[in-house]
Amino acid sequence: MKTRKLKERISASVKTQSSSDTMKVDITLSPRVNSVKPSKTVAITDQATALVEAGFSVIRLAAGEPDFDTPAAIAEAGIVAIREGYTRYTPNAGTLELRSAICHKLKEENGISYTPEQILVSNGAKQSILQAVLAVCSPGDEVIIPAPFWVSYPEMARLADATPLILPTHISENFLLDPKLLESKLSEKSRLLILCSPSNPTGSVYPRKLLEEIAHVVARHPRLLVLSDEIYEHIIYAPATHTSFASLPGMWDRTLTVNGFSKAFAMTGWRLGYLAGPKHFVAACGKIQSQFTSGASSISQKAAVAALGLGYAGGEAVSTMVKAFRERRDFLVKSFGEMGGVKISEPQGAFYVFLDFSSYYEKEIDGFGVIDGSESLCRYLLDEAQVALVPGDAFGDDTCIRISYAASLSTLQAAVERIKKALISLSPAVPA
């Protein structure tokens, strides 16, 4: 009895102390963190997952993740690495074997020469990009970002205490940056231009001639560097071709090239990307990584060596996936092209279509409310059609919605039928 009373007094004391301590805790957060917006793609994916877990039949076309398995030869290399005990830390910058293989790939496929000391392997291309932004940007610098943009670019700039400067592009110009607009917006604060080709979210591919015009602008501004995000490089549809920005005359010293294994090789869960650039920039990124995560997974690096050994541009394994992506793209472009009020810029790469649905805005739906933008339209389609898409305002263009076609053709066919049925009551507010 005494023991129980003693335990009760101790418990009460702990609760009182805990309550008292809670009241004294300063729960304010860093202004840097408060300035960052959460990812809408992650939020919508999580919401769709919750609906699936609740028993709803939701078609999820929000996340940018290939629906294919990692090619067998790559997976087997990872399995062998585990069996042979290759499970310890690697050098911070990545194994010499992998960095040498990356150098060979960049020389053979992209026409860019690097040494292993100019390569940094990280836990995904996203980490490579963030470390690059942190390494080269100072408070007050501007990071130039064409819109539509991948959702993380502006937030990465804010994490570096830099200012994202968004430059609009237009669907009529295939969402490609106008060099004249770029020139007009540059100043002594301009530090980094981020280019993504093939693009997330639009699927646009920058032709070499346009990149050369942009390079001429960059060359006139000594402080300006370029981060070239080439993660979708191999997912490209002829006649479009990929050009690495660093391969252009005079741009090697100015360019930080980011690539990885997640998209083309269907290795999202392996978490592996890399940065290539001038040694002093790469070393600075390596310094950040050494105090952040240290080196990437030893097993993933062995698998990546096998991926680069599949042949030029990933060989048959990648070309098979790209062929399927193209078939899906063609289906979606045709299907939405038949709908009134939808504007389309045909994707030339990646696995997204970025469609202008703005003619469906400003309509009121009984029991839902007014469709006043891309976010409310996506909420309506999730509620009514049970199809999860990403609103364009997350990418800097509220007129559009992003659809990922990293899903089977039968799944896409079902999604299109659901979307069309849900939009029947929303005749376009204005002519297309």
Side-chain angles (χ1 to χ4, degrees):
M1 188 69 173
K2 290 182 179 180
T3 303
R4 188 177 70 183
K5 288 183 177 180
L6 178 58
K7 287 181 178 180
E8 289 173 351
R9 285 199 301 270
I10 292 173
S11 176
S13 175
V14 169
K15 288 179 180 178
T16 302
Q17 184 66 37
S18 175
S19 176
S20 176
D21 289 346
T22 301
M23 293 178 66
K24 294 178 181 177
V25 172
D26 183 347
I27 62 171
T28 57
L29 299 174
S30 159
R32 180 182 292 110
V33 173
N34 285 331
S35 72
V36 175
K37 302 173 186 176
S39 168
K40 281 193 178 180
T41 53
V42 172
I44 289 173
T45 299
D46 289 347
Q47 185 179 358
T49 300
L51 287 172
V52 170
E53 291 173 348
F56 293 93
S57 175
V58 178
I59 297 177
R60 291 173 281 187
L61 303 179
E65 182 171 29
D67 57 311
F68 300 100
D69 291 333
T70 301
I74 300 174
E76 183 61 26
I79 293 169
V80 170
I82 295 171
R83 287 175 176 164
E84 294 184 351
Y86 197 76
T87 56
R88 298 186 180 276
Y89 291 136
T90 70
N92 178 60
T95 65
L96 180 60
E97 178 186 31
L98 177 54
R99 285 181 289 134
S100 298
I102 291 170
C103 288
H104 177 75
K105 175 259 188 270
L106 291 170
K107 178 66 175 177
E108 293 296 309
E109 297 182 3
N110 306 87
I112 330 171
S113 296
Y114 295 101
T115 63
E117 291 72 29
Q118 295 165 330
I119 306 293
L120 176 64
V121 177
S122 301
N123 300 278
K126 180 180 280 189
Q127 181 179 356
S128 296
I129 296 169
L130 177 57
Q131 289 176 167
V133 175
L134 291 171
V136 304
C137 292
S138 301
D141 281 345
E142 290 181 343
V143 178
I144 316 301
I145 306 171
F149 46 73
W150 180 43
V151 295
S152 294
Y153 294 147
E155 311 315 317
M156 290 175 174
R158 293 184 178 100
L159 283 172
D161 289 330
T163 301
L165 179 62
I166 309 302
L167 301 187
T169 64
H170 304 284
I171 192 169
S172 60
E173 300 296 328
N174 297 318
F175 298 112
L176 298 173
L177 177 62
D178 182 351
K180 293 179 181 178
L181 176 62
L182 173 64
E183 180 73 78
S184 71
K185 297 297 183 180
L186 295 178
S187 69
E188 67 281 354
K189 295 181 180 180
S190 305
R191 180 56 173 158
L192 189 65
L193 166 65
I194 299 181
L195 295 175
C196 181
S197 179
S199 165
N200 174 8
T202 67
S204 300
V205 174
Y206 277 83
R208 183 180 182 90
K209 185 177 184 299
L210 179 55
L211 288 178
E212 289 173 344
E213 293 177 21
I214 292 173
H216 290 151
V217 174
V218 171
R220 293 193 287 271
H221 296 266
R223 283 200 75 228
L224 186 61
L225 303 174
V226 176
L227 191 150
S228 183
D229 183 350
E230 303 181 8
I231 190 67
Y232 294 96
E233 166 195 15
H234 291 323
I235 305 174
I236 196 165
Y237 315 118
T241 57
H242 175 73
T243 299
S244 287
F245 197 83
S247 70
L248 301 175
M251 290 298 108
W252 189 95
D253 291 321
R254 298 286 200 98
T255 307
L256 302 169
T257 300
V258 172
N259 210 322
F261 299 86
S262 61
K263 309 300 184 180
F265 296 103
M267 293 176 66
T268 50
W270 298 79
R271 305 310 307 132
L272 205 66
Y274 59 87
L275 170 76
K279 185 177 179 179
H280 55 290
F281 291 135
V282 173
C285 294
K287 186 193 300 185
I288 295 171
Q289 183 163 298
S290 72
Q291 299 292 2
F292 185 25
T293 61
S294 298
S297 161
S298 59
I299 299 158
S300 296
Q301 290 185 64
K302 277 292 188 182
V305 172
L308 294 178
L310 290 177
Y312 190 91
E316 184 178 354
V318 173
S319 66
T320 299
M321 289 188 276
V322 173
K323 182 179 179 181
F325 284 136
R326 181 169 193 150
E327 182 182 15
R328 299 167 185 181
R329 177 205 66 170
D330 292 345
F331 166 74
L332 290 177
V333 169
K334 181 178 184 296
S335 297
F336 286 107
E338 295 170 349
M339 287 184 63
V342 180
K343 296 178 183 177
I344 302 174
S345 171
E346 182 172 286
Q348 296 178 300
F351 39 69
Y352 310 105
V353 286
F354 202 60
L355 304 172
D356 185 337
F357 277 94
S358 59
S359 64
Y360 287 85
Y361 296 173
E362 306 308 323
K363 304 291 289 186
E364 185 167 1
I365 303 170
D366 290 341
F368 180 84
V370 177
I371 302 292
D372 59 3
S374 60
E375 184 167 0
S376 59
L377 182 56
C378 282
R379 282 193 289 104
Y380 170 70
L381 291 174
L382 184 57
D383 290 349
E384 181 69 19
Q386 295 182 6
V387 178
L389 310 172
V390 187
D393 66 347
F395 307 100
D397 188 340
D398 194 36
T399 65
C400 294
I401 287 175
R402 191 190 79 172
I403 301 177
S404 168
Y405 50 91
S408 69
L409 187 58
S410 60
T411 298
L412 295 174
Q413 290 168 340
V416 169
E417 287 305 311
R418 291 187 185 188
I419 292 170
K420 286 184 175 181
K421 184 177 179 181
L423 293 180
I424 285 176
S425 60
L426 295 177
S427 57
V430 295

